Structures are given as structure tokens and as C-alpha cells.
Amino acid sequence: MTTASPIVALRMASKTYGRGNARVEALKSATVSIQPGEFAAIVGASGSGKSTMLNLLGCLDVPCSGSCLLAGVETASLAVDQRSRLRRDTIGFVFQGYQLLERMDAWRNVELPLIYRGVPPPERGRRVERALDAVGLIDRARHRPGAMSGGQQQRIAIARAIVSEPPLLIADEPTGAVDAATGDDIIDVFHTLNRTQNTTVVLVTHDERIAHRCGRMIRLVDGRIVSDTPTDARRDAG
Ligand SMILES: Nc1ncnc2c1ncn2[C@@H]1O[C@H](COP(=O)(O)OP(=O)(O)OP(=O)(O)O)[C@@H](O)[C@H]1O
Ligand SMILES: [Mg+2]
């Protein structure tokens, strides 16, 4: 794959939920290409199709028509287990509600994806330490989620998402449950990963101010992409 190939792309992708009177066209003929190293935000009103689009990009769902290419592979043509393997090898996920396991400390939460992959203990330790260090929370390694602030829990969730060093990070409203200053800290973590590891980041946000800090803003209205433009953040970065 050359650097000109998108890491993920939608071509005329549509998603419809339900049928009859309950039919909702959540995404209408969306075409978008995300290049390796990009930092993009999807914005739009509630119900405009942001999560639907992110779920297609993240291979959590497949389009009803059109296509989604992830790492050059047409996701709809894959069997369910092939699709989950592709997802596991390519993408780290971060959600608004953190989804950490309460009974385990931060270290263990971050370590779990590596245990599932059969990574041996010494290597596991090195990777968990690197991930916790990347989010600035090595000193909270033995804290359980309940003993951490929302912003810290989200940073632990980011550490868990990056511990397998995926080329693509997908985040649905990662700053949705925290205050503005904490939200800025979380975006700083994504920025640093994007700059230093060249991790591609695609996130969904309601918050225009957050979106302006990402390099590219894709706006949805009523299931359609109405604009897709670089932001000042990218122009400033040159
Ligand atoms: N599983 C589903 N079944 C039926 N309709 C759905 C389903 N998921 C989403 N929808 C509908 O599709 C449309 C787009 O939903 P989506 O969740 O993508 O919006 P969103 O932009 O992420 O909204 P929010 O900002 O509130 O999270 C909405 O009208 C929603 O009601
Ligand atoms: Mg949503």
C-alpha cells in the first residue's frame, strides 16, 4: 500500500435502519477518504448520522449500499470473524462512557487486550507502561476506575485503545462526559499520538470548539455530508 492509499474510505455508503414507517435513512451516499496520519472530526446535530458513519468507518457495521474500504479491504465482503480480526488489528476504540472494567486497576484494564492477543508477559509489561506513559498516568496504574476522575478514566481508556499500537483510533464523543478543560486535555493526548506516532484519529463531537482543534472537519446534516474542510489547526501546522 502506498502512502496515497486511504487507511479507511467510504464510497457512496448508505445506511438505513428499520422498515416501513420506522425506516430511517441514517446515512445517505457518504463518500470520504481518510489518509494515514490525518486527524478528523465528524460534527453535526444529534441524529444527523455521526455515530452511524463512525461505526461504518470502524467496521462495527457495514453499509446497506456503497462500500467501506478499511486498510484496502472491502469490509462487507468479509465473514463476521474476519471482520472482527481486521478491526482488532487495525483500530483502537474510545467511547464517551470509557467502558473500563470496575473490578480491575488501570494497569489490568490496559493489559487486557494484550492478554487476549496472547502477547507474552515481559512484552506486555513494556507495552502497558508505554501506553500509560503516553497518556501521562503511569502514577495511577494501581488505581481502579472508581478512584479516578472522568478525564483520567478516559485517558486510561485511550491507553487501552493504543496499547496494541493500531494505526487508526476511532472515538465517539470522547469528551462528551467531561468539562471543557478536561476535554482539551483529552484532545491534547490525541494530538500528541497523532504527531508522534502518526496515529490516524477520527472522532465524533458535538463541540465545534473541539472540532476546530482537529485538522479536518466533516459536517453531517440529516445523514448527508454537507462539508468536509481543513481547519485552522491543520493550516497552522503547515
Ligand atoms: N439501531 C438503530 N435502529 C434504528 N434507528 C437508528 C439506530 N441507530 C440510529 N438510528 C437512527 O439513525 C439516525 C442517526 O443516528 P446516529 O446515532 O448516527 O446519530 P448521531 O449523529 O450520532 O446522534 P447523537 O449526536 O445523538 O449521538 C437517527 O435518526 C437515529 O434515530
Ligand atoms: Mg452518536
Side-chain angles (χ1 to χ4, degrees), residues 103-126:
R103 286 170 39 245
M104 295 177 184
D105 63 19
W107 181 282
R108 194 75 171 165
N109 266 285
V110 175
E111 188 180 26
L112 268 184
L114 300 179
I115 295 175
Y116 291 141
R117 279 157 195 253
V119 177
E123 174 66 13
R124 243 167 31 214
R126 279 192 292 275

Side-chain angles (χ1 to χ4, degrees), residues 158-171:
I158 295 171
R160 180 186 54 190
I162 62 171
V163 75
S164 351
E165 301 181 352
L168 175 61
L169 265 183
I170 294 263

Side-chain angles (χ1 to χ4, degrees), residues 207-225:
D207 186 334
E208 297 276 333
R209 201 184 53 86
I210 294 275
H212 276 284
R213 295 198 53 205
C214 307
R216 173 178 177 184
M217 203 186 316
I218 301 162
R219 187 178 300 279
L220 285 174
V221 173
D222 209 9
R224 274 189 206 288
I225 297 176

Side-chain angles (χ1 to χ4, degrees), residues 23-217:
R23 189 180 150 92
V24 178
E25 288 186 74
L27 194 68
K28 300 165 183 166
S29 295
T31 295
V32 69
S33 282
I34 308 289
Q35 299 298 330
E38 277 202 281
F39 188 174
I42 301 169
V43 297
S46 182
S48 60
K50 302 182 298 296
S51 295
T52 300
M53 182 168 154
L54 198 72
N55 290 346
L56 296 184
L57 292 170
C59 198
L60 291 165
D61 200 359
V62 292
C64 299
S65 64
S67 72
C68 175
L69 282 174
L70 175 60
V73 179
E74 168 70 62
T75 60
S77 69
L78 299 174
V80 173
D81 60 328
Q82 292 175 311
R83 205 183 299 151
S84 54
R85 205 171 315 130
L86 175 65
R87 195 166 56 224
R88 191 192 66 191
D89 291 344
T90 318
I91 308 175
F93 290 93
V94 177
F95 301 98
Q96 176 171 348
Y98 325 131
Q99 299 187 7
L100 299 171
L101 296 174
E102 276 303 324
R103 286 170 39 245
M104 295 177 184
D105 63 19
W107 181 282
R108 194 75 171 165
N109 266 285
V110 175
E111 188 180 26
L112 268 184
L114 300 179
I115 295 175
Y116 291 141
R117 279 157 195 253
V119 177
E123 174 66 13
R124 243 167 31 214
R126 279 192 292 275
R127 291 221 216 160
V128 173
E129 199 169 335
R130 212 180 305 144
L132 285 172
D133 198 39
V135 300
L137 282 179
I138 199 76
D139 59 332
R140 292 292 189 280
R142 293 303 166 198
H143 285 230
R144 288 188 184 192
M148 286 183 282
S149 70
Q152 288 169 339
Q153 290 181 62
Q154 190 59 298
R155 279 148 69 196
I156 296 297
I158 295 171
R160 180 186 54 190
I162 62 171
V163 75
S164 351
E165 301 181 352
L168 175 61
L169 265 183
I170 294 263
D172 199 344
E173 297 274 7
T175 64
V178 297
D179 61 51
T182 308
D184 272 330
D185 293 344
I186 289 166
I187 298 301
D188 287 343
V189 171
F190 284 126
H191 260 298
T192 304
L193 289 166
N194 178 249
R195 255 197 332 265
T196 63
Q197 329 269 332
N198 206 38
T199 306
T200 310
V201 181
V202 182
L203 60 80
V204 158
T205 180
H206 269 101
D207 186 334
E208 297 276 333
R209 201 184 53 86
I210 294 275
H212 276 284
R213 295 198 53 205
C214 307
R216 173 178 177 184
M217 203 186 316

